[in-house]
mmCIF file of all heavy atoms in Angstrom:
data_model
loop_
_atom_site.group_PDB
_atom_site.id
_atom_site.type_symbol
_atom_site.label_atom_id
_atom_site.label_comp_id
_atom_site.label_asym_id
_atom_site.label_seq_id
_atom_site.Cartn_x
_atom_site.Cartn_y
_atom_site.Cartn_z
ATOM 1 N N VAL B 582 13.893 1.543 8.622
ATOM 2 C CA VAL B 582 13.678 2.037 7.261
ATOM 3 C C VAL B 582 14.344 1.107 6.256
ATOM 4 O O VAL B 582 15.502 0.720 6.428
ATOM 5 C CB VAL B 582 14.235 3.458 7.108
ATOM 6 C CG1 VAL B 582 14.301 3.859 5.630
ATOM 7 C CG2 VAL B 582 13.374 4.442 7.878
ATOM 8 N N GLY B 583 13.612 0.739 5.255
ATOM 9 C CA GLY B 583 14.150 -0.128 4.214
ATOM 10 C C GLY B 583 13.900 -1.593 4.456
ATOM 11 O O GLY B 583 14.054 -2.412 3.549
ATOM 12 N N GLN B 584 13.524 -1.910 5.663
ATOM 13 C CA GLN B 584 13.294 -3.308 5.996
ATOM 14 C C GLN B 584 12.073 -3.857 5.267
ATOM 15 O O GLN B 584 11.104 -3.142 5.028
ATOM 16 C CB GLN B 584 13.104 -3.433 7.513
ATOM 17 C CG GLN B 584 13.120 -4.872 8.011
ATOM 18 C CD GLN B 584 13.122 -4.927 9.523
ATOM 19 O OE1 GLN B 584 13.364 -3.924 10.193
ATOM 20 N NE2 GLN B 584 12.839 -6.099 10.060
ATOM 21 N N VAL B 585 12.161 -5.138 4.915
ATOM 22 C CA VAL B 585 11.064 -5.769 4.187
ATOM 23 C C VAL B 585 10.066 -6.383 5.160
ATOM 24 O O VAL B 585 10.449 -7.107 6.082
ATOM 25 C CB VAL B 585 11.599 -6.849 3.229
ATOM 26 C CG1 VAL B 585 10.455 -7.453 2.427
ATOM 27 C CG2 VAL B 585 12.654 -6.266 2.312
ATOM 28 N N LEU B 586 8.807 -6.109 4.945
ATOM 29 C CA LEU B 586 7.750 -6.709 5.772
ATOM 30 C C LEU B 586 7.464 -8.126 5.291
ATOM 31 O O LEU B 586 7.780 -8.481 4.160
ATOM 32 C CB LEU B 586 6.477 -5.881 5.668
ATOM 33 C CG LEU B 586 6.250 -4.783 6.694
ATOM 34 C CD1 LEU B 586 7.344 -3.737 6.614
ATOM 35 C CD2 LEU B 586 4.882 -4.138 6.468
ATOM 36 N N PRO B 587 6.837 -8.922 6.136
ATOM 37 C CA PRO B 587 6.353 -10.231 5.667
ATOM 38 C C PRO B 587 5.389 -10.011 4.515
ATOM 39 O O PRO B 587 4.788 -8.938 4.409
ATOM 40 C CB PRO B 587 5.627 -10.798 6.891
ATOM 41 C CG PRO B 587 6.183 -10.066 8.060
ATOM 42 C CD PRO B 587 6.586 -8.717 7.565
ATOM 43 N N ASN B 588 5.224 -11.002 3.674
ATOM 44 C CA ASN B 588 4.345 -10.801 2.529
ATOM 45 C C ASN B 588 2.882 -10.725 2.931
ATOM 46 O O ASN B 588 2.503 -11.085 4.036
ATOM 47 C CB ASN B 588 4.585 -11.881 1.470
ATOM 48 C CG ASN B 588 4.053 -13.234 1.902
ATOM 49 O OD1 ASN B 588 2.908 -13.363 2.256
ATOM 50 N ND2 ASN B 588 4.920 -14.225 1.873
ATOM 51 N N GLU B 589 2.078 -10.255 2.011
ATOM 52 C CA GLU B 589 0.684 -9.948 2.323
ATOM 53 C C GLU B 589 -0.092 -11.164 2.799
ATOM 54 O O GLU B 589 -0.913 -11.063 3.707
ATOM 55 C CB GLU B 589 0.000 -9.351 1.094
ATOM 56 C CG GLU B 589 0.616 -8.036 0.671
ATOM 57 C CD GLU B 589 -0.150 -7.407 -0.478
ATOM 58 O OE1 GLU B 589 -0.992 -8.097 -1.075
ATOM 59 O OE2 GLU B 589 0.106 -6.229 -0.778
ATOM 60 N N ARG B 590 0.171 -12.307 2.177
ATOM 61 C CA ARG B 590 -0.576 -13.497 2.579
ATOM 62 C C ARG B 590 -0.247 -13.869 4.020
ATOM 63 O O ARG B 590 -1.122 -14.253 4.795
ATOM 64 C CB ARG B 590 -0.254 -14.653 1.633
ATOM 65 C CG ARG B 590 -0.873 -14.473 0.250
ATOM 66 C CD ARG B 590 -0.193 -15.335 -0.799
ATOM 67 N NE ARG B 590 -0.744 -15.141 -2.142
ATOM 68 C CZ ARG B 590 -0.340 -14.194 -2.970
ATOM 69 N NH1 ARG B 590 0.605 -13.349 -2.615
ATOM 70 N NH2 ARG B 590 -0.893 -14.086 -4.173
ATOM 71 N N GLU B 591 0.999 -13.739 4.372
ATOM 72 C CA GLU B 591 1.352 -14.093 5.736
ATOM 73 C C GLU B 591 0.817 -13.059 6.730
ATOM 74 O O GLU B 591 0.289 -13.428 7.786
ATOM 75 C CB GLU B 591 2.876 -14.190 5.896
ATOM 76 C CG GLU B 591 3.217 -14.498 7.347
ATOM 77 C CD GLU B 591 4.684 -14.817 7.572
ATOM 78 O OE1 GLU B 591 5.372 -15.143 6.583
ATOM 79 O OE2 GLU B 591 5.107 -14.733 8.740
ATOM 80 N N LEU B 592 0.947 -11.791 6.400
ATOM 81 C CA LEU B 592 0.428 -10.758 7.299
ATOM 82 C C LEU B 592 -1.072 -10.944 7.528
ATOM 83 O O LEU B 592 -1.558 -10.845 8.658
ATOM 84 C CB LEU B 592 0.693 -9.368 6.722
ATOM 85 C CG LEU B 592 2.102 -8.809 6.915
ATOM 86 C CD1 LEU B 592 2.238 -7.451 6.247
ATOM 87 C CD2 LEU B 592 2.429 -8.692 8.401
ATOM 88 N N ALA B 593 -1.789 -11.205 6.426
ATOM 89 C CA ALA B 593 -3.238 -11.381 6.545
ATOM 90 C C ALA B 593 -3.543 -12.538 7.487
ATOM 91 O O ALA B 593 -4.386 -12.425 8.383
ATOM 92 C CB ALA B 593 -3.846 -11.627 5.172
ATOM 93 N N ALA B 594 -2.822 -13.646 7.301
ATOM 94 C CA ALA B 594 -3.041 -14.811 8.162
ATOM 95 C C ALA B 594 -2.711 -14.451 9.607
ATOM 96 O O ALA B 594 -3.457 -14.789 10.530
ATOM 97 C CB ALA B 594 -2.169 -15.970 7.688
ATOM 98 N N ARG B 595 -1.613 -13.746 9.781
ATOM 99 C CA ARG B 595 -1.175 -13.416 11.134
ATOM 100 C C ARG B 595 -2.220 -12.582 11.869
ATOM 101 O O ARG B 595 -2.397 -12.724 13.080
ATOM 102 C CB ARG B 595 0.153 -12.662 11.059
ATOM 103 C CG ARG B 595 0.802 -12.463 12.391
ATOM 104 C CD ARG B 595 2.127 -11.744 12.263
ATOM 105 N NE ARG B 595 3.112 -12.472 11.440
ATOM 106 C CZ ARG B 595 4.378 -12.086 11.298
ATOM 107 N NH1 ARG B 595 4.792 -10.984 11.905
ATOM 108 N NH2 ARG B 595 5.198 -12.762 10.538
ATOM 109 N N PHE B 596 -2.894 -11.696 11.143
ATOM 110 C CA PHE B 596 -3.895 -10.844 11.786
ATOM 111 C C PHE B 596 -5.296 -11.429 11.686
ATOM 112 O O PHE B 596 -6.259 -10.822 12.174
ATOM 113 C CB PHE B 596 -3.872 -9.443 11.180
ATOM 114 C CG PHE B 596 -2.645 -8.653 11.557
ATOM 115 C CD1 PHE B 596 -1.651 -8.392 10.632
ATOM 116 C CD2 PHE B 596 -2.494 -8.175 12.855
ATOM 117 C CE1 PHE B 596 -0.523 -7.673 10.986
ATOM 118 C CE2 PHE B 596 -1.377 -7.450 13.216
ATOM 119 C CZ PHE B 596 -0.380 -7.202 12.285
ATOM 120 N N GLY B 597 -5.418 -12.550 11.007
ATOM 121 C CA GLY B 597 -6.723 -13.190 10.928
ATOM 122 C C GLY B 597 -7.726 -12.445 10.081
ATOM 123 O O GLY B 597 -8.915 -12.390 10.402
ATOM 124 N N VAL B 598 -7.261 -11.835 9.017
ATOM 125 C CA VAL B 598 -8.186 -11.137 8.119
ATOM 126 C C VAL B 598 -7.947 -11.598 6.688
ATOM 127 O O VAL B 598 -6.949 -12.260 6.393
ATOM 128 C CB VAL B 598 -7.983 -9.605 8.177
ATOM 129 C CG1 VAL B 598 -8.235 -9.077 9.578
ATOM 130 C CG2 VAL B 598 -6.579 -9.226 7.699
ATOM 131 N N ALA B 599 -8.868 -11.259 5.827
ATOM 132 C CA ALA B 599 -8.689 -11.566 4.417
ATOM 133 C C ALA B 599 -7.602 -10.678 3.839
ATOM 134 O O ALA B 599 -7.322 -9.596 4.360
ATOM 135 C CB ALA B 599 -9.986 -11.364 3.659
ATOM 136 N N ARG B 600 -7.010 -11.156 2.791
ATOM 137 C CA ARG B 600 -5.906 -10.390 2.211
ATOM 138 C C ARG B 600 -6.381 -9.016 1.733
ATOM 139 O O ARG B 600 -5.672 -8.023 1.880
ATOM 140 C CB ARG B 600 -5.312 -11.177 1.038
ATOM 141 C CG ARG B 600 -3.987 -10.616 0.575
ATOM 142 C CD ARG B 600 -3.385 -11.462 -0.541
ATOM 143 N NE ARG B 600 -2.520 -10.647 -1.375
ATOM 144 C CZ ARG B 600 -2.443 -10.755 -2.692
ATOM 145 N NH1 ARG B 600 -3.168 -11.659 -3.324
ATOM 146 N NH2 ARG B 600 -1.645 -9.977 -3.374
ATOM 147 N N ALA B 601 -7.592 -8.955 1.196
ATOM 148 C CA ALA B 601 -8.114 -7.673 0.701
ATOM 149 C C ALA B 601 -8.202 -6.652 1.832
ATOM 150 O O ALA B 601 -7.950 -5.463 1.631
ATOM 151 C CB ALA B 601 -9.471 -7.881 0.047
ATOM 152 N N THR B 602 -8.569 -7.124 2.996
ATOM 153 C CA THR B 602 -8.684 -6.220 4.136
ATOM 154 C C THR B 602 -7.313 -5.712 4.551
ATOM 155 O O THR B 602 -7.123 -4.514 4.797
ATOM 156 C CB THR B 602 -9.356 -6.946 5.315
ATOM 157 O OG1 THR B 602 -10.602 -7.457 4.866
ATOM 158 C CG2 THR B 602 -9.567 -6.014 6.474
ATOM 159 N N LEU B 603 -6.368 -6.635 4.609
ATOM 160 C CA LEU B 603 -5.014 -6.207 4.928
ATOM 161 C C LEU B 603 -4.532 -5.174 3.920
ATOM 162 O O LEU B 603 -3.926 -4.163 4.267
ATOM 163 C CB LEU B 603 -4.061 -7.403 4.918
ATOM 164 C CG LEU B 603 -2.595 -6.980 5.062
ATOM 165 C CD1 LEU B 603 -2.246 -6.750 6.515
ATOM 166 C CD2 LEU B 603 -1.660 -7.975 4.430
ATOM 167 N N ARG B 604 -4.843 -5.429 2.661
ATOM 168 C CA ARG B 604 -4.369 -4.525 1.617
ATOM 169 C C ARG B 604 -4.934 -3.109 1.771
ATOM 170 O O ARG B 604 -4.278 -2.131 1.428
ATOM 171 C CB ARG B 604 -4.705 -5.094 0.238
ATOM 172 C CG ARG B 604 -3.682 -6.127 -0.237
ATOM 173 C CD ARG B 604 -4.046 -6.720 -1.577
ATOM 174 N NE ARG B 604 -4.107 -5.724 -2.648
ATOM 175 C CZ ARG B 604 -3.049 -5.242 -3.273
ATOM 176 N NH1 ARG B 604 -1.853 -5.670 -2.954
ATOM 177 N NH2 ARG B 604 -3.182 -4.340 -4.207
ATOM 178 N N GLN B 605 -6.147 -3.020 2.269
ATOM 179 C CA GLN B 605 -6.692 -1.680 2.512
ATOM 180 C C GLN B 605 -5.817 -0.910 3.484
ATOM 181 O O GLN B 605 -5.554 0.277 3.312
ATOM 182 C CB GLN B 605 -8.117 -1.784 3.074
ATOM 183 C CG GLN B 605 -9.185 -1.967 2.035
ATOM 184 C CD GLN B 605 -10.585 -1.824 2.652
ATOM 185 O OE1 GLN B 605 -11.059 -0.748 2.929
ATOM 186 N NE2 GLN B 605 -11.215 -2.948 2.882
#
Side-chain angles (χ1 to χ4, degrees):
Chain B
V582 167
Q584 191 172 346
V585 183
L586 268 62
N588 72 54
E589 297 185 348
R590 288 161 182 86
E591 177 171 342
L592 280 178
R595 189 179 299 187
F596 289 108
V598 299
R600 193 177 153 219
T602 305
L603 172 82
R604 277 178 61 80
Q605 277 190 77

